[in-house]
Amino acid sequence: MDATKRPLYIPPQMGLYAEKHRLFEIMQDLLGGLLIHRPENPLDFLIRQLKFSNCDAPRIFLLGPPAAGKTTIAMWLSKQLIIPRISRENLLTNEWSALASEVQHHQERKEAIPEVLWAKLIEERLQLEDCLCSGWILEGLPDTRELSRSLQVMGILPRHVVVLHAPDIVLIERNLGKRVDETTGEVYHTTFDWPTDETIRWRLKAPEGISEKETLQRLLEYHRNLPGIIQSFGKSMKLINADQPCADVFSQVLSHVRLPPRSNAPFSPRILLCGPPGSGKSLQAALIAQKYGLINVCCGRMFKEAVASGTRLGELIKSYTDSGWPVPDKIVIKLLSKRMNRLDCYIRGWVLHGFPRDEDQAKLMPDAGIFPNRVFFLTVSAEIILERLSYHMLDPISGERYHSLYKPAITREVNDRLLINPKDMEETIKSKVEMYFRLSKGLEESFEDAIFINGDQDPQTVFEYIESYVINTLPVKEIWNL
């Protein structure tokens, strides 16, 4: 970048680097921390934030009424994601904490504990290294609007807020059968989850406060506080029905927290469409490019444009296409790199189809600066492909294309003069399809995060599937310690 020239030209590689390393999210977190905490030494504060902070670390509020299964789900999440589980009970087990001792003194004197004190205790726990590096899950917290506001003022903001819900009568029945293993802290139930190990059964005890009257009182208090909590986190809350098997509830919660929240960072779609001939790549590329203003990059069309331009590269490509030989990969990647590294592709985004066709071509893309952030494979069986492609015919007079099954000629006169392109002969199509399926396995393995969509359905349905994956964030599997 030449600082002496105006307007400044920012190379696309800078944007790719910023997107790859999440610079926008890092700067957002650092600036937010400075404004919230207002440290006396901002530089030391930023160094500590950069050392410990993790933009992808899970920060979860798991809320819900009594007996909704918060403890069980939180423990399973803690084990699965390897993150600390924080609740009111384990906050008070920190013997070194002066704040925990103060809360215990309030409890011993049976005094109301200020919500600000709870918030400070939570903040103290979340500042430890395990929470800063790995993330955390707050079980049943915050449970009042005052605590929610206090946490927000302190800069304790979740990435996901999950609220379990179930009918009150179900919750009362659950609570009556609850039993706790005091050794491990595991929660069991006399009806739904009774342990098979006799040793564990002997250790189980009924916790305090599970009678029907006490449960009703806690439910009333929860329903009274819920509107205030919704006002604090309404837009980011995920409601999940807890009146179903615990494994199903956990699966839904885990799927939700694995989905990163929507980022405010600038996003330019870079879409790669792969699939066998006749799978509908060209049609889907045209639809997505038209709706979102992306650059539609078709490898075959680029060959024709290069040949028509009369350049040396075009003449070289023409020599291969006229002889029927495939264009070498080095020439193809050079042509694509020149087009896709223009500024319009970086600003508006692009959708590429017709390349790569095999694993070797896919390996050339990073060196050419071609980094797709959405990869789709349209899956269609060989029989359907033959049905789609081998019945094409052309009217030599009008230039209209017909299909024996989907778009037959209207009159017999037109039908009699239709011609079949040699490329549409069944033998030619079979050889292309067989080659694709022979190379497809290696190509699919080149893109670990590829999305597979059934192409044997209505084109608009396929487009809606593609669109949903383009506009929504994708799960970032590598950030979780699974």
Side-chain angles (χ1 to χ4, degrees):
M1 185 168 63
D2 190 351
T4 64
K5 294 182 179 180
R6 294 291 187 275
L8 293 177
Y9 172 70
I10 301 177
Q13 291 77 9
M14 293 178 65
L16 294 174
Y17 178 86
E19 182 180 323
K20 178 181 178 181
H21 296 282
R22 312 286 297 278
L23 297 189
F24 187 92
E25 287 82 358
I26 292 174
M27 294 299 297
Q28 192 176 40
D29 278 359
L30 293 177
L31 181 58
L34 284 175
L35 295 176
I36 292 170
H37 299 288
R38 290 172 290 181
E40 294 183 1
N41 192 329
L43 186 58
D44 290 343
F45 175 84
L46 292 176
I47 292 174
R48 186 173 187 272
Q49 286 288 101
L50 286 171
K51 184 177 181 181
F52 293 106
S53 182
N54 183 355
C55 292
D56 293 324
R59 299 200 293 258
I60 307 167
F61 284 178
L62 182 61
L63 311 176
K70 299 186 298 295
T71 300
T72 301
I73 299 299
M75 292 179 69
W76 289 3
L77 279 177
S78 176
K79 292 178 181 178
Q80 183 75 15
L81 305 179
I82 315 179
I83 57 176
R85 177 181 66 92
I86 301 168
S87 63
R88 290 189 187 271
E89 290 75 18
N90 60 33
L91 279 172
L92 299 180
T93 59
N94 295 330
E95 298 179 356
W96 53 268
S97 172
L99 292 173
S101 300
E102 188 177 347
V103 172
Q104 290 174 348
H105 290 325
H106 280 284
Q107 290 180 334
E108 291 170 0
R109 294 194 295 265
K110 297 183 179 180
E111 297 175 350
I113 304 171
E115 298 293 3
V116 176
L117 182 57
W118 277 115
K120 290 180 179 178
L121 183 59
I122 294 171
E123 182 187 33
E124 181 184 61
R125 176 66 182 88
L126 298 185
Q127 289 302 313
L128 297 182
E129 186 175 335
D130 60 343
C131 290
L132 290 174
C133 296
S134 302
W136 42 262
I137 175 171
L138 285 183
E139 174 199 326
L141 295 169
D143 52 4
T144 64
R145 185 181 183 184
E146 291 75 15
L147 184 55
S148 301
R149 293 295 179 89
S150 298
L151 294 177
Q152 288 176 335
V153 169
M154 293 177 177
I156 301 173
L157 304 174
R159 288 197 171 92
H160 298 90
V161 181
V162 179
V163 180
L164 307 179
H165 67 92
D168 287 355
I169 189 171
V170 173
L171 298 173
I172 293 172
E173 181 184 352
R174 280 187 180 183
N175 221 24
L176 291 174
K178 185 184 294 185
R179 298 294 184 269
V180 178
D181 184 348
E182 294 183 342
T183 304
T184 63
E186 293 280 354
V187 179
Y188 297 91
H189 196 277
T190 56
T191 304
F192 308 113
D193 186 23
W194 193 242
T196 56
D197 191 338
E198 187 176 355
T199 306
I200 297 177
R201 290 201 298 266
W202 279 105
R203 296 201 305 257
L204 297 183
K205 292 185 178 180
E208 297 180 358
I210 65 170
S211 67
E212 184 173 347
K213 182 178 179 180
E214 291 171 310
T215 303
L216 276 171
Q217 184 62 36
R218 292 169 60 195
L219 285 171
L220 287 173
E221 185 177 355
Y222 170 80
H223 291 307
R224 186 167 58 247
N225 289 320
L226 183 60
I229 300 174
I230 292 177
Q231 289 179 2
S232 301
F233 306 107
K235 293 183 179 180
S236 59
M237 292 175 68
K238 173 70 173 180
L239 298 177
I240 294 180
N241 180 19
D243 187 17
Q244 52 183 324
C246 196
D248 294 341
V249 177
F250 174 70
S251 176
Q252 294 178 40
V253 174
L254 185 62
S255 298
H256 176 65
V257 300
R258 276 180 170 170
L259 187 66
R262 185 176 294 275
S263 172
N264 294 320
F267 174 71
S268 296
R270 300 190 299 274
I271 303 170
L272 175 62
L273 293 178
C274 300
S279 58
K281 301 186 297 295
S282 300
L283 174 60
Q284 297 303 324
L287 292 174
I288 200 79
Q290 180 181 12
K291 183 167 183 178
Y292 292 99
L294 309 183
I295 305 298
N296 188 352
V297 183
C298 174
C299 194
R301 190 188 309 149
M302 289 188 65
F303 287 162
K304 295 178 182 178
E305 292 174 354
V307 171
S309 66
T311 61
R312 291 182 60 185
L313 184 61
E315 293 177 358
L316 184 60
I317 293 174
K318 186 175 186 299
S319 64
Y320 284 99
T321 55
D322 289 347
S323 62
W325 288 94
V327 181
D329 292 346
K330 290 183 178 180
I331 298 177
V332 178
I333 202 70
K334 183 178 180 180
L335 189 66
L336 281 174
S337 177
K338 185 178 179 180
R339 175 65 189 95
M340 301 181 71
N341 281 296
R342 293 181 188 173
L343 197 59
D344 61 343
C345 279
Y346 170 66
I347 295 174
R348 294 168 55 186
W350 46 261
V351 52
L352 170 65
H353 54 105
F355 184 92
R357 298 179 182 274
D358 54 42
E359 186 179 3
D360 293 335
Q361 290 183 344
K363 291 179 178 179
L364 296 174
M365 293 174 65
D367 293 335
I370 303 173
F371 298 95
N373 50 24
R374 296 290 189 278
V375 180
F376 298 95
F377 279 86
L378 304 182
T379 59
V380 182
S381 64
E383 293 77 12
I384 298 299
I385 295 171
L386 289 173
E387 183 181 291
R388 287 182 178 182
L389 300 182
S390 61
Y391 296 96
H392 279 147
M393 291 175 287
L394 178 68
D395 185 349
I397 296 178
S398 65
E400 186 77 16
R401 290 179 63 87
Y402 294 92
H403 193 281
S404 300
L405 299 178
Y406 305 125
K407 188 183 176 182
I410 301 176
T411 64
R412 184 173 182 178
E413 180 183 356
V414 173
N415 187 71
D416 292 340
R417 66 173 184 249
L418 294 181
L419 301 176
I420 298 177
N421 192 313
K423 294 182 179 180
D424 296 329
M425 298 297 291
E426 186 172 345
E427 294 77 11
T428 306
I429 296 171
K430 278 185 177 180
S431 63
K432 290 181 179 180
V433 172
E434 289 174 359
M435 179 177 293
Y436 171 82
F437 284 114
R438 187 168 63 250
L439 302 173
S440 62
K441 186 176 180 180
L443 183 60
E444 293 170 3
E445 292 175 351
S446 301
F447 302 101
E448 295 181 356
D449 297 327
I451 301 161
F452 294 83
I453 297 177
N454 178 17
D456 186 19
Q457 48 188 333
D458 181 74
Q460 190 61 35
T461 303
V462 177
F463 171 72
E464 290 175 357
Y465 274 114
I466 295 175
E467 184 182 30
S468 67
Y469 285 108
V470 171
I471 63 177
N472 294 318
T473 55
L474 298 180
V476 186
K477 299 177 182 179
E478 65 270 15
I479 68 174
W480 307 100
N481 300 315
L482 298 181

